[in-house]
Amino acid sequence: MRLCFFSAAALFLLCFLLPAAVAEERFYEFVVQETLVKRLCNTQKIITVNGQFPGPTIEVYDGDTVAIRAVNMARYNVTLHWHGLRQLRNGWADGPEFVTQCPIRPGGSYTYRFAIQGQEGTLWWHAHSSWLRATVHGALLIRPRPGVPYPFPKPHSEFPIILAEWWRRDPIAVLRQSMITGAPPNVSDAILINGQPGDFLECSAQVPDLVKPTKATFGLEKSIPTVVYSIGRRDERCIVLFRCLQRDKMKRQRFSRLLTMHAVAVTETSIIPVAAGETTLLRIINAAMNTELFVSLAGHKMTVVAADSMYTKPFETTVVLLGPGQTTDVLVTAHAAPGRYYLAARAYASAQGVPFDNTTATAIFQYKGGAGCPTTAGGAGAAGAVAGAGVGAGAAGGAGAVAGAGAGTFNGSLGRSKYSGGNPGRAGPAPMLPYLPAYNDTNTATAFSNSIRSPAPVKVPGPVTQEVFTTVGFGLFNCMPGPFCQGPNNTRFGASMNNVSFQLPNTVSLLQAHYHHIPGVFTDDFPPMPPVFFDFTSQNVPRALWQPVKGTKLYRVRYGAVVQIVFQDTGIFAAEEHPMHIHGYHFYVLATGFGNYDPVRDAHKFNLVDPPSRNTIGVPVGGWAVVRFVADNPGVWLVHCHIDAHLTGGLGMALLVEDGEAELEATMAPPLDLPLCAL
């Protein structure tokens, strides 16, 4: 009896200790550095993390603690943001430059430490300093606690899909030109999927003359890919195996030189390997700087199961819409005829008459064993290794070289992402193209967004104790005609919320100024209502209302308050859908609509049963959105449009959430290695 009693007690105690026992501290080292890559026939230097583009995938479990040491070896200041993480009481790890920290200067370092608490699903990380996030970004995947299943049938495989934009120039130079001239920044030159533009851009649809694949098998032989290349002029033909390259320094140098000069065309389309009958979880992330994107997959339907790391009521769709900053998880069952199918992405451009990137990015959803398809999952990795062999071939391709080595592991600071892939040649039939909506198809965009619901009824917080009604949109600053006034009609482009164009400090962060009571850095008088009420969505707004006022104004929120924010788009310059992101919080989206918000007329539209929980909401073009949350996370939290051209113009503000009365309701003390601010 005593033995049985002891065993039962031990088992009972183990049930309580097990969750704490499996939680781990996971350490990564992120080295921010210049990397030579080749895209669109052009070799250029970009800023990356650990030489990878996209950057390393972070994989953790709910309940883990994470430490990421960021070392800045680049020539620009940098900070890192963990998009969608609550960072409870820990704004010091949130990352937006001069909001929660001063930047990590060249040669410096900072360790971001945070806990994963009650979150799971697909998030992402990115630079939050200038326009570095164009190339400094990656996936952040949070698994359920061990033993906790997904709320849907477990997929056979998972694959992050990271959408981004590519400029032929340094994105920082694009931004600086815009800031000097006052004109909107130049649009990107291509859309990317997992770092690659796909089959319809220069140097991707065809193989260059001087570097032609003559044979391709997919596998590893003593860790050396058996991809054979023909290198040379018409009168000189040399078949080079990589083992030969290892022995012959001259041939190896020549191969690398040709690879850099002429682009390895076979690496410019990402591959998603699948098996017939199996279900894949695609974790789609829009890391694009300025473009909302439609995504579609030929020959297959997608079942949406999560958005912004919050599970949703499942629904089938052929098209997914994501604004910059948003994530969407979809299940895809490989039930079509074995073959190759395009996954494609292109812009949803809601603003009339405004330039946008009209390219189409593609990846290939590729069945194992299909006609013309590799018979092993190692195909993408093998092709990736080819890219890695050439100087400047691109980190995304080189990642494949060690993909198999890292499969199934969660820790490791410098390991290549096992999700990066390359295109294993153009063997086999051409992939099937999907249907994509027109670039201005607002009806499809609205129908998709309105389909997202919480999986079960939720308790919506209320009653509302603090409410903000804020306009979001563009503005133009008057100035004297000249080289610094190249916006419309000799103006400078701007943006604002409630007519305040947000200006960041440059000597100390807002959170530091709040925590240490440093005066003169900001004011807490952000207006909770527009200074003037007018027909916000009219296409003929009087020019007297076009010029905002610059300021660093925060909105003070009491701890525990139920906050409701109405985001109202305006027709100043051009109405446009704005993906609004609130740092430090998830919120319920109660309603969206078109035209001017009316609190009486539109109250019946509120979904108080199963509204979706998001961290980034697309405010409809010429419309409004209402969100609600409990202010239970003290600190200073940025609220901004996640289109970076708009944030640069001033479309942002910050919430100053006061401490509560209890010790665990107050902002943590700053870490000792917080980057120093310039005096």
Side-chain angles (χ1 to χ4, degrees):
M1 285 186 63
R2 288 179 180 174
L3 180 61
C4 291
F5 177 80
F6 177 79
S7 299
L11 184 62
F12 182 76
L13 181 62
L14 183 63
C15 290
F16 283 93
L17 295 180
L18 187 58
V22 297
E24 295 186 21
E25 182 178 58
R26 306 192 182 274
F27 176 80
Y28 296 82
E29 184 170 78
F30 277 17
V31 179
V32 181
Q33 62 190 63
E34 280 192 345
T35 301
L36 190 67
V37 301
K38 188 159 190 175
R39 297 292 186 276
L40 306 182
C41 312
N42 182 51
T43 300
Q44 64 192 79
K45 291 181 179 179
I46 63 172
I47 306 301
T48 66
V49 167
N50 297 351
Q52 297 176 240
F53 177 60
T57 296
I58 297 174
E59 299 182 68
V60 296
Y61 290 99
D62 180 22
D64 285 349
T65 57
V66 182
I68 300 174
R69 183 172 182 261
V71 181
N72 186 7
M73 301 302 293
R75 65 185 187 275
Y76 302 117
N77 293 337
V78 71
T79 66
L80 298 177
H81 170 54
W82 320 96
H83 187 107
L85 277 181
R86 290 291 313 276
Q87 303 287 13
L88 290 170
R89 304 175 47 236
N90 187 24
W92 311 110
D94 192 43
E97 184 179 48
F98 288 117
V99 176
T100 60
Q101 67 169 94
C102 290
I104 307 169
R105 308 201 179 269
S109 66
Y110 175 48
T111 300
Y112 293 89
R113 299 182 184 276
F114 49 84
I116 311 295
Q117 302 180 54
Q119 290 187 259
E120 55 189 69
T122 303
L123 295 174
W124 63 299
W125 59 266
H126 61 82
H128 213 303
S129 180
S130 187
W131 270 26
L132 287 180
R133 83 171 176 89
T135 55
V136 179
H137 58 250
L140 170 55
L141 311 182
I142 306 175
R143 313 285 183 191
R145 291 174 182 267
V148 177
Y150 291 128
F152 46 78
K154 184 178 180 179
H156 297 88
S157 59
E158 301 181 9
F159 210 93
I161 304 295
I162 303 179
L163 313 172
E165 287 174 282
W166 181 264
W167 279 264
R168 296 178 191 271
R169 299 172 58 201
D170 181 355
I172 304 299
V174 174
L175 173 62
R176 286 176 176 171
Q177 178 182 344
S178 171
M179 296 178 70
I180 291 171
T181 64
N186 294 339
V187 299
S188 55
D189 296 297
I191 305 298
L192 307 180
I193 298 178
N194 287 352
Q196 304 292 351
D199 283 356
F200 302 119
L201 279 296
E202 293 178 273
C203 298
S204 58
Q206 72 283 344
V207 179
D209 289 337
L210 287 179
V211 182
K212 290 188 177 180
T214 60
K215 172 185 174 185
T217 57
F218 298 91
L220 295 178
E221 181 180 340
K222 296 181 179 179
S223 301
I224 300 171
T226 58
V227 177
V228 186
Y229 272 81
S230 169
I231 300 178
R233 302 187 183 99
R234 292 180 181 178
D235 59 346
E236 176 190 3
R237 194 167 183 81
C238 175
I239 303 301
V240 183
L241 285 162
F242 270 78
R243 282 173 295 179
C244 171
L245 288 175
Q246 296 300 316
R247 294 194 301 266
D248 193 317
K249 182 178 179 181
M250 183 178 297
K251 290 178 181 178
R252 183 168 68 248
Q253 290 175 341
R254 184 159 183 247
F255 184 82
S256 295
R257 193 161 56 247
L258 286 171
L259 215 53
T260 303
M261 290 171 57
H262 297 284
V264 182
V266 294
T267 66
E268 296 219 358
T269 299
S270 298
I271 298 296
I272 306 166
V274 297
E278 294 186 350
T279 298
T280 299
L281 177 64
L282 300 181
R283 299 175 177 270
I284 309 174
I285 300 165
N286 187 351
M289 296 291 288
N290 300 315
T291 306
E292 297 195 276
L293 293 165
F294 287 122
V295 179
S296 187
L297 174 62
H300 300 75
K301 288 187 176 180
M302 298 174 282
T303 300
V304 176
V305 293
D308 288 357
S309 80
M310 300 296 292
Y311 295 119
T312 66
K313 193 170 295 182
F315 67 94
E316 278 194 349
T317 184
T318 57
V319 177
V320 172
L321 171 72
L322 303 97
Q326 292 183 321
T327 70
T328 303
D329 292 2
V330 300
L331 294 174
V332 179
T333 300
H335 54 62
R340 296 147 60 98
Y341 300 84
Y342 275 127
L343 177 81
R346 78 174 177 204
Y348 166 50
S350 58
Q352 295 184 11
V354 176
F356 66 95
D357 184 337
N358 64 355
T359 62
T360 299
T362 54
I364 298 177
F365 198 72
Q366 185 160 275
Y367 282 66
K368 301 172 187 175
C373 299
T375 57
T376 70
V386 176
V391 176
V402 293
T409 62
F410 290 93
N411 248 350
S413 56
L414 298 176
R416 299 290 192 182
S417 169
K418 66 173 178 284
Y419 298 106
S420 299
N423 181 10
R426 295 292 185 272
M432 180 186 295
L433 281 166
Y435 163 79
L436 278 168
Y439 70 87
N440 58 354
D441 191 344
T442 294
N443 289 336
T444 295
T446 303
F448 176 81
S449 298
N450 289 345
S451 298
I452 299 177
R453 293 283 186 271
S454 289
V458 298
K459 185 178 181 181
V460 178
V464 175
T465 56
Q466 288 188 244
E467 184 167 10
V468 176
F469 182 108
T470 180
T471 56
V472 293
F474 304 122
L476 299 175
F477 291 99
N478 296 326
C479 62
M480 296 295 292
F484 306 113
C485 302
Q486 296 183 28
N489 299 316
N490 296 314
T491 60
R492 290 183 63 84
F493 177 78
S496 69
M497 296 178 65
N498 273 352
N499 207 49
V500 179
S501 186
F502 191 59
Q503 306 295 298
L504 288 172
N506 57 18
T507 57
V508 66
S509 75
L510 297 173
L511 182 57
Q512 288 170 293
H514 163 60
Y515 187 87
H516 296 294
H517 307 287
I518 302 173
V521 178
F522 65 84
T523 60
D524 60 0
D525 57 347
F526 179 84
M529 303 286 281
V532 178
F533 277 81
F534 54 97
D535 184 357
F536 298 115
T537 55
S538 170
Q539 294 184 351
N540 297 299
V541 177
R543 291 298 294 264
L545 299 173
W546 283 39
Q547 179 156 317
V549 177
K550 295 183 179 182
T552 308
K553 297 178 181 291
L554 278 56
Y555 180 74
R556 186 175 290 273
V557 180
R558 295 182 299 278
Y559 183 89
V562 176
V563 180
Q564 181 166 292
I565 301 179
V566 179
F567 295 109
Q568 172 70 63
D569 188 26
T570 71
I572 296 175
F573 183 63
E576 183 171 355
E577 178 157 311
H578 296 281
M580 299 301 298
H581 174 46
I582 302 179
H583 287 232
Y585 287 91
H586 269 70
F587 48 78
Y588 289 112
V589 181
L590 301 187
T592 61
F594 293 98
N596 297 324
Y597 174 73
D598 185 316
V600 176
R601 180 195 63 204
D602 295 323
H604 74 280
K605 299 178 182 178
F606 283 18
N607 178 4
L608 300 176
V609 178
D610 58 354
S613 180
R614 305 296 300 260
N615 63 56
T616 306
I617 176 61
V619 179
V621 51
W624 49 268
V626 181
V627 306
R628 191 182 295 180
F629 59 93
V630 176
D632 58 357
N633 193 9
V636 176
W637 305 104
L638 188 62
V639 180
H640 66 100
C641 180
H642 220 278
I643 294 176
D644 271 39
H646 300 177
L647 174 59
T648 302
L651 212 168
M653 54 88 72
L655 302 174
L656 193 166
V657 181
E658 298 173 340
D659 290 347
E661 296 181 359
E663 182 180 353
L664 296 181
E665 297 175 348
T667 301
M668 294 180 182
L672 296 177
D673 64 338
L674 191 70
L676 297 176
C677 299
L679 299 178

